[in-house]
Amino acid sequence: MITSYLKWPGNNFGDKLNDPIFNELGITECIHYKKPNLSGLTQSTALGLGTLLTRKVVSPVTVLGSGANGINKPKIPLNYKFVRGKGTAAYLNLDPSLAIGDTAYFLKDYIQNLDAAHKDFEIGIIPHYINDKVLKGDNIISPTLPIEEFIIKASKCKLILAEVMHGAICADILRIPWAPISIDSNKYPIQHFKWNDFTSVLDIDLEFGNIESYNTYLSTDEKFNSVCNNVRMQMLTVANK
C-alpha cells in the first residue's frame, strides 16, 4: 500500500503535478527530495511523475509511471507497477507490458474540467523554466504559474508549442494540437529520450522543431483514452481505491 510520494522541489509545472495526482488518491504525506540520493525509503513511497529512474534511486520504492533518462539506471531492484513508456521499459530491461504511460494522464478529468470555453490565442508557447524569460508576450505560458492558472491559459490556445514535455501532455489531454520545440538549445537542450518515451505508448514518432518551424501532433482518441484509462486503473489499484 502506498502511504507517501516523492515531492520534487521547485516551482515548475511538471514537478508540481504529483500533488494533485496523489492528493486525489488520498495520499497526502510527501517525501521532500533534498538529499543527493533517494535513500532510506520503502515500497510504501511512490515515485510518480518525473524522470526519476536514475542511479540516484537507492531505495526499493514503488514506481508509478516514472521514466528513465537513458543515461544511467537505478542500482537496485525497484517495485515497478508501470513506467512512462517503451523506451524506459527497454532501457531498464523490464517487461514491455509495464510501459503504460506518463503518470500525468491520471489527471484527464482534472485538466479537462479546467478547459476554458473560448480560445484567446492562435499559438501558446510553453518554455522550459530555464528559458522562461527569453520570449515575451501574452501567449507565453510560464511553467512557474500555479497549476490551475497554467492549465486554464493553455486551454485558451488553438495550438501549443512546448519546450517542456508536461506542457505537451497537458495540451494532449486538452485535445489541443502541440509541437515539441527548442527555444534556446544552448541553455536547455531537448531531452529526446524522455519525449520519445512519452509518445511511444501513443504511437507517435516525433520530429523536434523551433518556434518558426515545427510539426504538430495530437494522440488519436483511441490511444488517448486507452492510456488515460490504463494509467488511472494502475494508480487506483495501487492506492487500494
Side-chain angles (χ1 to χ4, degrees):
M1 182 176 178
I2 301 300
T3 59
S4 61
Y5 67 95
L6 177 72
K7 183 178 178 68
W8 202 258
N11 186 28
N12 187 42
F13 175 71
D15 296 331
K16 293 183 289 189
L17 287 179
N18 279 309
D19 292 335
I21 289 171
F22 286 100
N23 290 347
E24 183 175 331
L25 293 171
I27 301 168
T28 57
E29 181 183 353
C30 56
I31 306 297
H32 290 267
Y33 178 52
K34 297 180 179 179
K35 299 179 180 180
N37 293 311
L38 300 174
S39 59
L41 306 177
T42 68
Q43 288 189 7
S44 65
T45 295
L47 297 190
L49 176 152
T51 304
L52 306 176
L53 303 178
T54 71
R55 63 188 176 196
K56 293 181 179 180
V57 183
V58 294
S59 297
V61 293
T62 295
V63 177
L64 301 176
S66 308
N69 61 8
I71 301 173
N72 57 70
K73 308 175 182 181
K75 296 182 178 180
I76 63 170
L78 306 180
N79 183 26
Y80 292 101
K81 296 301 184 181
F82 72 101
V83 295
R84 182 174 59 204
K86 297 176 184 179
T88 290
Y91 181 68
L92 299 181
N93 298 313
L94 303 175
D95 190 309
S97 66
L98 292 176
I100 299 295
D102 191 278
T103 322
Y105 279 99
F106 177 79
L107 294 174
K108 173 188 174 184
D109 292 341
Y110 172 80
I111 289 175
Q112 290 187 346
N113 285 339
L114 293 170
D115 196 351
H118 55 90
K119 303 294 184 183
D120 292 338
F121 307 105
E122 290 293 322
I123 298 176
I125 302 175
I126 304 174
H128 190 272
Y129 73 88
I130 292 175
N131 287 325
D132 195 24
K133 305 301 182 183
V134 173
L135 302 176
K136 304 293 183 182
D138 292 339
N139 67 327
I140 306 303
I141 307 167
S142 171
T144 65
L145 288 172
I147 291 176
E148 293 193 359
E149 186 177 342
F150 178 101
I151 295 169
I152 291 170
K153 188 167 185 179
S155 75
K156 295 179 179 180
C157 303
K158 294 181 180 179
L159 169 67
I160 294 288
L161 307 183
E163 193 175 35
V164 289
M165 187 185 73
H166 284 101
I169 291 176
C170 178
D172 201 60
I173 294 174
L174 290 166
R175 312 313 289 148
I176 296 171
W178 50 270
I181 64 159
S182 177
I183 294 172
D184 186 338
S185 60
N186 291 322
K187 288 185 177 180
Y188 180 71
I190 286 284
Q191 297 181 35
H192 294 81
F193 182 92
K194 74 175 187 179
W195 277 88
N196 289 317
D197 191 38
F198 130 62
T199 59
S200 65
V201 296
L202 301 168
D203 292 341
I204 294 175
D205 295 322
L206 292 178
E207 291 187 14
F208 298 87
N210 53 52
I211 58 174
E212 296 177 350
S213 176
Y214 49 81
N215 292 330
T216 61
Y217 303 91
L218 184 65
S219 62
T220 65
D221 289 344
E222 181 181 7
K223 282 294 182 181
F224 169 71
N225 288 322
S226 176
V227 168
C228 290
N229 292 338
N230 289 337
V231 167
R232 188 166 191 84
M233 180 178 65
Q234 292 291 332
M235 297 291 285
L236 291 175
T237 298
V238 172
N240 293 326
K241 294 290 185 179

